[in-house]
């Protein structure tokens, strides 16, 4: 009986122990499950290309949860005990990217999938990308999905500035004289787009581009049509000048005393240059109508009229001899020739008159013959009685004189005519009288003829009186 009671009691104790163990195990399992619980406010995030951040709630069975990331462009950190902040940098590439944020509590881990969109760049050019010569301002509209962009250009005449989505492009005045091109580039990360601008030069049109000028100084007007009002004009040669007056200018050409020549005048209209070529005819000098410049003149006083044609109307005439003087006339020159009283018989004297104009010259040579006297016979034999006789002579000078060498002999001259030769055009008759020779000794005397610068002597031999 006592033994049965002990067995029953033992069985009860065993049952009680089993129940307690079951309860302990159940309670222990329940507490283990509570410690490993983790819930996130979202499981994914799809941000745009711009930099941004979000807050994600974290519900965990323990406040000692941790967070981490899988990509360098993602940053994550706890924000209190029940949330975390996820941030992404701007995606400046042209491709989407993805990564994860991990949250761990105990042995339990959960993640948030992050997928960031690719960057994009939008650039809208102005309706016209062409500038006129004075320059100006135009606007480009630009935007980048990542939120930022930069601006650059490749031309010194372009300046840029940006404000928000507006890019202002300013062009300086074009003073190069030629059309020019520049480029503005919008860059956002690895993306870029360009807008090309052109700028025309100032316009300039001349009324003429070539002037044919005569030898004489003259002026030539030239009209100018230009989009640049402050244009200038410059003559490039000393014999040219140019003066502006309103919308035209005048070219002044000096007289040309030399060879044909060519010069230029330049118009500068804000860098656009135009040239007028000036061609001026050569000077021309013609003396005596192109005929002979050798003149043979008689010994008497006379003059020569020599025509001179000079294109420049500017010439000089000089003589190297005092007996040949030069005077300019409306048609040429007059050479005044003095009487030749110095040159021996049979010879001549020479003068040279030089006509010059610039680099041109002509020499006129004048040969003037000497005076000459022709006697058909040079002596007379007369008796001792008083004798009156005569003889003839010719000369190339009208102005002739006679005189005797002795008192008993006298002479007179008488002009006859001009029927002689060209070399001796004047004929004279000399009358001489010899007084009676009362001496038994013969005697001699002479009659001297002076014509121009020449002298001839006529001898007279008179016989003596009879003893």
């Amino acid at each position: 009986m006592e033994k049965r009671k002990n067995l029953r009691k033992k069985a009860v104790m065993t049952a009680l122990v089993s129940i307690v163990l079951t309860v302990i195990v159940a309670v222990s399992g329940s507490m283990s499950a509570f410690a490993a619980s983790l819930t996130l406010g979202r499981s994914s995030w799809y941000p745009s290309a711009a930099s941004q951040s979000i807050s994600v709630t974290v519900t965990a069975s323990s406040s000692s949860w941790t967070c981490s990331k899988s990509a360098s462009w993602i940053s994550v950190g706890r924000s209190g005990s029940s949330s975390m902040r996820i941030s992404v940098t701007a995606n400046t590439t042209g491709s989407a990217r993805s990564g994860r944020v991990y949250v761990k509590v105990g042995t339990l881990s959960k993640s948030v999938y992050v997928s960031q969109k690719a960057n994009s760049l939008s650039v809208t050019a102005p309706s016209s990308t062409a500038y006129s010569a004075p320059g100006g301002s135009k606007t480009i509209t630009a935007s980048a999905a990542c939120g930022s962009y930069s601006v650059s250009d490749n031309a010194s005449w372009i300046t840029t500035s940006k404000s928000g989505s507006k890019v202002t492009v300013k062009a300086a005045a074009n003073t190069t004289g030629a059309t020019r091109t520049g480029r503005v580039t919008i860059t956002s990360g690895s993306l870029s787009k360009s807008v090309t601008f052109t700028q025309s030069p100032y316009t300039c049109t001349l009324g003429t581009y070539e002037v044919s000028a005569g030898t004489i100084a003259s002026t030539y007007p030239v009209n100018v049509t230009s989009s640049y009002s402050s244009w200038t004009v410059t003559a490039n040669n000393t014999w040219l000048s140019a003066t502006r007056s309103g919308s035209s200018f005048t070219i002044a050409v000096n007289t040309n005393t030399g060879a044909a020549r060519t010069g230029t005048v330049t118009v500068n209209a804000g860098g656009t240059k135009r040239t007028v070529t000036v061609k001026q005819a050569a000077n021309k000098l013609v003396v005596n109508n192109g005929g002979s410049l050798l003149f043979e003149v008689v010994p008497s006083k006379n003059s020569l009229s020599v025509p001179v044609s000079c294109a420049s109307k500017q010439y000089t005439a000089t003589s190297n001899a005092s007996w040949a003087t030069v005077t300019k006339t409306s048609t040429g020159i007059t050479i005044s020739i003095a009487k030749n009283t110095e040159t021996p018989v049979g010879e001549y004297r020479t003068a040279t008159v030089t006509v010059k104009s610039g680099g041109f010259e002509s020499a006129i040579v004048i040969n003037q013959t000497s005076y000459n006297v022709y006697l058909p016979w040079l002596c007379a034999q007369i008796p001792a009685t008083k004798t009156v006789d005569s003889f003839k002579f010719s000369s190339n000078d009208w102005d002739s004189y006679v005189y005797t060498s002795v008192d008993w002999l006298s002479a007179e001259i008488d002009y006859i005519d001009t029927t002689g030769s060209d070399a001796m055009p004047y004929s004279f008759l000399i009358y001489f009288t010899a007084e009676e020779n009362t001496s038994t000794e013969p005697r001699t005397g002479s009659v001297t003829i002076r014509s121009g610068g020449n002298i001839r002597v006529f001898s007279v031999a008179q016989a003596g009186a009879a003893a």
Side-chain angles (χ1 to χ4, degrees):
M1 189 71 176
E2 188 64 28
K3 186 178 181 178
R4 185 179 293 172
K5 187 183 286 186
N6 287 337
L7 289 172
R8 187 180 295 161
K9 189 175 180 178
K10 188 177 180 178
V12 170
M13 289 297 291
T14 299
L16 287 173
V17 170
S18 178
I19 293 170
V20 170
L21 290 174
T22 300
V23 171
I24 290 172
V25 170
V27 171
S28 176
S30 175
M31 291 189 64
S32 176
F34 175 76
S37 66
L38 177 62
T39 303
L40 301 180
R42 65 165 62 209
S43 60
S44 61
W45 181 34
Y46 298 91
S48 67
S51 62
Q52 53 198 289
S53 61
I54 60 169
S55 181
V56 179
T57 58
V58 178
T59 304
S61 55
S62 171
S63 62
S64 59
W65 55 269
T66 60
C67 56
S68 60
K69 57 175 181 172
S70 65
S72 60
W73 50 274
I74 299 175
S75 60
V76 63
R78 288 182 53 147
S79 178
S81 60
S82 59
S83 67
M84 63 179 173
R85 192 156 194 85
I86 304 173
S87 300
V88 292
T89 61
N91 183 4
T92 59
T93 70
S95 302
R97 58 187 181 181
S98 62
R100 286 185 177 274
V101 173
Y102 298 97
V103 179
K104 187 175 182 181
V105 58
T107 60
L108 186 60
S109 177
K110 289 189 177 182
S111 66
V112 176
Y113 175 69
V114 180
S115 177
Q116 189 177 25
K117 295 178 181 179
N119 188 25
S120 61
L121 179 62
S122 173
V123 174
T124 303
S127 57
S128 171
T129 57
Y131 290 96
S132 60
S137 178
K138 295 182 182 294
T139 301
I140 297 174
T141 302
S143 62
C146 72
S148 64
Y149 63 88
S150 60
V151 182
S152 62
D153 64 77
N154 70 343
S156 60
W157 54 275
I158 290 176
T159 57
T160 58
S161 61
K162 68 173 185 173
S163 176
S165 62
K166 303 296 182 184
V167 177
T168 300
V169 183
K170 293 183 178 181
N174 184 359
T175 58
T176 66
T179 299
R180 58 187 180 183
T181 300
R183 186 172 60 253
V184 174
T185 301
I186 312 296
T187 302
S188 179
S190 61
L191 305 180
S192 66
K193 291 184 179 181
S194 297
V195 178
T196 299
F197 293 90
T198 59
Q199 187 179 27
S200 58
Y202 285 100
T203 60
C204 183
T205 304
L206 305 183
T208 183
Y209 294 89
E210 183 172 311
V211 170
S212 295
T215 306
I216 303 298
S218 53
T219 58
Y220 303 88
V222 179
N223 292 324
V224 178
T225 303
S226 176
S227 59
Y228 187 75
S229 60
S230 299
W231 55 268
T232 59
V233 60
T234 305
N236 302 316
N237 305 85
T238 56
W239 53 276
L240 294 174
S241 63
T243 306
R244 177 178 175 175
S245 177
S247 60
S248 66
F249 64 93
T250 299
I251 300 174
V253 182
N254 294 342
T255 296
N256 184 8
T257 60
R261 57 189 179 183
T262 300
T264 57
V265 173
T266 301
V267 176
N268 188 337
T272 299
K273 296 181 180 180
R274 298 290 183 263
T275 300
V276 178
T277 299
V278 181
K279 296 181 178 180
Q280 188 175 28
N283 187 23
K284 189 176 182 181
L285 180 66
V286 179
V287 178
N288 199 29
N289 297 323
S292 175
L293 299 181
L294 176 62
F295 295 90
E296 301 283 351
V297 297
V298 297
S300 58
K301 180 179 179 180
N302 58 85
S303 64
L304 293 173
S305 293
V306 182
V308 176
S309 172
C310 181
S312 67
K313 303 297 183 184
Q314 297 180 2
Y315 66 91
T316 61
T318 57
S319 171
N320 68 345
S322 59
W323 54 269
T325 58
V326 183
T327 304
K328 290 180 66 174
T329 66
S330 60
T331 58
I333 59 174
T334 296
I335 305 172
S336 298
I337 302 169
K339 181 179 180 180
N340 186 359
T341 61
E342 60 186 31
T343 307
V345 175
E347 298 181 9
Y348 60 86
R349 61 183 179 180
T350 299
T352 300
V353 174
T354 303
V355 181
K356 288 185 177 180
S357 179
F360 300 88
E361 72 175 56
S362 293
I364 301 171
V365 177
I366 302 166
N367 289 333
Q368 186 182 31
T369 60
S370 63
Y371 280 105
N372 200 0
V373 176
Y374 172 70
L375 295 174
W377 43 287
L378 298 177
C379 64
Q381 298 285 338
I382 61 175
T385 57
K386 181 178 181 178
T387 303
V388 177
D389 205 346
S390 66
F391 62 89
K392 184 178 180 181
F393 79 92
S394 299
S395 175
N396 53 10
D397 187 15
W398 167 261
D399 194 10
S400 299
Y401 307 91
V402 294
Y403 55 89
T404 61
S405 62
V406 290
D407 293 339
W408 56 267
L409 187 63
S410 62
E412 293 181 357
I413 187 170
D414 188 22
Y415 172 69
I416 301 177
D417 57 36
T418 57
T419 58
S421 66
D422 291 339
M424 299 286 183
Y426 306 109
S427 295
F428 300 89
L429 189 63
I430 302 297
Y431 295 96
F432 67 91
T433 301
E435 298 297 329
E436 179 182 2
N437 185 4
T438 59
S439 172
T440 58
E441 295 293 327
R443 58 185 179 183
T444 60
S446 63
V447 177
T448 300
I449 304 161
R450 185 181 183 90
S451 182
N454 295 291
I455 297 174
R456 289 288 185 272
V457 177
F458 180 82
S459 298
V460 177
Q462 187 177 35

